[in-house]
Structures are given as structure tokens and as C-alpha cells.
Amino acid sequence: LVGIKQAGLQEIYFGGDDPLLASTGVAGVYGRSGAFERVVGGLFRALARLRPGGAEVRDFPPVMSRAHLEACGYARQFPHLAAAVHTLMPVEEEGRQDHTASGQATDLVLTPAACYPLYPLLGKRGAIPQAGVIFDTRCYCFRREPSERADRLQAFRMQEFVCVGPERVALTFRNLWIPKMQSFADSLGLESSLVPAKDPFFGRMAPYLAQSQLDQGLKFELVCPVASARHETAVFSFNYHQDHFGLAWGLRDTQGITSHSACVGTGIDRLAMALFRAHGPEVGRWPAFVVRALGLN
Ligand code: AMP
Ligand code: ZN
């Protein structure tokens, strides 16, 4: 069903005549078609309807403070995925200009997940209420993982529901959202399964960090076929960070105890691709219940 046409240019088809994802000449970086974006719009609206009452909305740009990303350990744990913004100003070296160097560093990195810019802002707001705080964030994210596989993009959209609060509040939030997202996937006619998961840590300690994440049940994913029926890929992630961000940003509750956090991430582009794979290239022919769930009728 999924075709990747390659004549120097990579375009991704989900059965129809027009590519849903059109080449930009770089693997994993695509232009989206009108049909694809119509579904993406439906997904954002459907997720907004799932938003818990009282959640604050934060729509972040694709760049964030480099200092903030470094302070929470991302640059140390995932330096292979993280990318910084440099200008193309030539670097002055020994009186001559080096035009081949990567240019001058700035204070920006490309945002790798929709929740990272949130925690430093919370640190400036004072004590976190005992009931916790909930956010609905979204961001165009970047991860340096070039791939010919249709489901692995370098630039992709992510939406997250995030909870920061006392340990039990954050963990309960994470656990509650697993069945909620399973029902959401069902309502879209997708067959998904829940699997324990780990992050792609970098370096010598990577196997230990990943094993400890698995042993402690810190990350789960809902996987479903995205690019091919034989291969399942994560579409939703459920992360419990313990006090990782609480410690990094001095987040405390009204009793002075370090806050814990959890996030529920939806890969918007992957989810849209999974829908085209499951229901075909023409949205007009999708099952009525799916079209209704996305408000596309
Ligand atoms: P993570 O922070 O790795 O758990 O990612 C959150 C969600 O973003 C995943 O469940 C995926 O749906 C999506 N995602 C992560 N990496 C990629 C990628 N390379 N291409 C497309 N979507 C991705
Ligand atoms: Zn997150």
C-alpha cells in the first residue's frame, strides 16, 4: 500500500496517485499535501476535545533555549538526536574567514519534544498546587534521525498532555491516559497494542539507562502499523519522568516536596499516516465513524 518513489527524490504514497508526503530532497523532511493536512487538522481538533478541563494550552515554536535543553540533561543523554541552530556567518580563524565551518553558534536549539520548553517556565511560577497542573502542548519537533523509512521523520509534529504535581498525581495521570488513548485509537479504526518502551540513549551507559527505564515501567507506547502492515511503530507515548524535571527546575509543591511529571505524547504525522494506511488514500471513502471522529464530514 505504501509506496516510496525514488528517483533521487523521495515521495511517500499511501496508495493514491498523489504523494501525501512530497520530497524536499532530504530523507525524513517532507512537504505535506492538502489531503494529509486536512486529516492533521481533524486530529488536532479531536485531541483538543480530549483535553482535560483546566488544562493550559501552550503552542511552542520549533526552536527553544539551548541553555534550557542542556540544563535538563537532553544534550548529554541524546546528543546524537539534538541539533543546534548556527548562523552561516563565517568563523574568523587566524585572521582569515573559514567558509567551510558550520558558522557561529546561537542560543537556540531545535525543540526535540513538545514538553521540554514547558518545565523551565513552570519553575518561575511558584509552588505547584497539590492537585497538580495540566498542560496541552504542541510543537513542530526535530530529531536528527535521517531514514528512508516513511514513519521516521526528522521534522514532525507532536502534541502532548503534560501533568506536573505530587508523585501519585503524576503517575496516576500517566496511567489514566493509557486506556484513554487506546479508546481514541479505537475510535479512529486503528488496531493498536501497548508495549513497554525505552528511549534511544547515547553512550556507554545507554544499555543500563534503557534497562532501568524498562524495569521501572517508566515508558509505554501504543504501536500500530504506520508505513507497512508488517511493522508496528509508536504513535502514542506515555512517559513517567519521576522527579527528573522537578529536580532540574526546582519544581516543588505547596509542601516543599519536589514535583514529579508525566507526559502523553501523540505523534501527529505518524497518526495521520497510520490512518491513511488503515483506511486508504481517499478520505471520502473512509468509514463514516472515523470521518465523524475527526470532524471531517
Ligand atoms: P518520544 O518522545 O520519543 O516518546 O516521542 C513521542 C511521539 O512522537 C512518539 O510516540 C511518536 O509518535 C512521535 N515520534 C517520535 N519520533 C518520531 C520520528 N522520528 N518521526 C515521526 N514521529 C516521531
Ligand atoms: Zn514529553
Side-chain angles (χ1 to χ4, degrees):
L1 193 65
V2 178
I4 297 183
K5 277 201 185 157
Q6 246 174 322
L9 295 178
Q10 188 186 39
E11 299 186 319
I12 297 176
Y13 293 73
F14 280 73
D17 294 330
D18 300 318
L20 286 173
L21 300 171
S23 174
T24 65
V26 180
V29 182
Y30 302 101
R32 276 75 168 159
S33 74
F36 193 82
E37 284 310 292
R38 202 170 148 234
V39 171
V40 165
L43 286 172
F44 275 126
R45 285 192 298 276
L47 285 162
R49 283 195 292 276
L50 291 182
R51 178 190 303 148
E56 297 175 51
V57 175
R58 292 288 183 278
D59 193 327
F60 291 110
V63 289
M64 64 176 283
S65 154
R66 177 177 182 152
H68 284 172
L69 198 67
E70 286 173 349
C72 72
Y74 191 90
R76 196 176 58 248
Q77 291 184 321
F78 309 104
H80 52 314
L81 302 180
V85 177
H86 289 241
T87 68
L88 298 182
M89 273 299 284
V91 178
E92 292 266 351
E93 246 178 41
E94 293 165 7
R96 66 185 173 86
Q97 290 193 333
D98 182 356
H99 287 272
T100 58
S102 55
Q104 293 178 7
T106 69
D107 53 358
L108 294 171
V109 285
L110 300 181
T111 315
C115 69
Y116 280 102
L118 190 67
Y119 311 107
L121 299 181
L122 260 184
K124 299 194 191 333
R125 282 205 336 196
I128 311 273
Q130 294 306 111
V133 282
I134 296 177
F135 291 88
D136 176 350
T137 71
R138 51 155 110 166
C139 187
Y140 221 118
C141 298
F142 180 88
R143 292 182 188 174
R144 183 64 186 160
E145 37 188 8
S147 166
E148 300 296 316
R149 276 191 32 200
D151 55 18
R152 191 161 292 280
L153 306 177
Q154 295 200 70
F156 55 94
R157 282 159 288 187
M158 194 189 294
Q159 182 276 340
E160 298 193 51
F161 292 121
V162 185
C163 173
V164 180
E167 178 171 356
R168 203 178 45 79
V169 172
L171 184 56
T172 305
F173 176 89
R174 200 276 309 260
N175 294 341
L176 199 78
W177 273 91
I178 294 176
K180 280 193 198 220
M181 285 313 200
Q182 282 173 315
S183 322
F184 181 50
D186 290 348
S187 79
L188 299 176
L190 297 175
E191 280 183 26
S192 63
S193 25
L194 186 72
V195 296
K198 52 189 169 38
D199 287 312
F201 296 101
F202 179 83
R204 208 165 36 86
M205 292 303 285
Y208 304 99
L209 291 169
Q211 192 56 48
S212 142
Q213 202 178 19
L214 284 172
D215 292 345
Q216 297 183 77
L218 298 183
K219 186 180 187 85
F220 291 91
E221 289 173 343
L222 265 189
V223 299
C224 73
V226 175
S228 91
R230 291 185 312 278
H231 184 87
E232 297 191 311
T233 313
V235 174
F236 302 94
S237 305
F238 309 90
N239 301 296
Y240 173 42
H241 316 123
Q242 300 172 302
D243 56 5
H244 178 82
F245 292 106
L247 286 173
W249 297 110
L251 310 179
R252 292 199 186 81
D253 65 21
T254 50
Q255 296 174 2
I257 298 171
T258 297
S259 298
H260 284 225
S261 60
C263 68
V264 178
T266 300
I268 299 293
D269 295 284
R270 270 193 191 161
L271 183 51
M273 279 191 247
L275 287 166
F276 279 101
R277 202 210 59 79
H279 307 309
E282 282 178 56
V283 177
R285 295 178 157 201
W286 286 10
F289 74 94
V290 178
V291 171
R292 225 178 7 255
L294 293 172
L296 296 178
N297 40 345

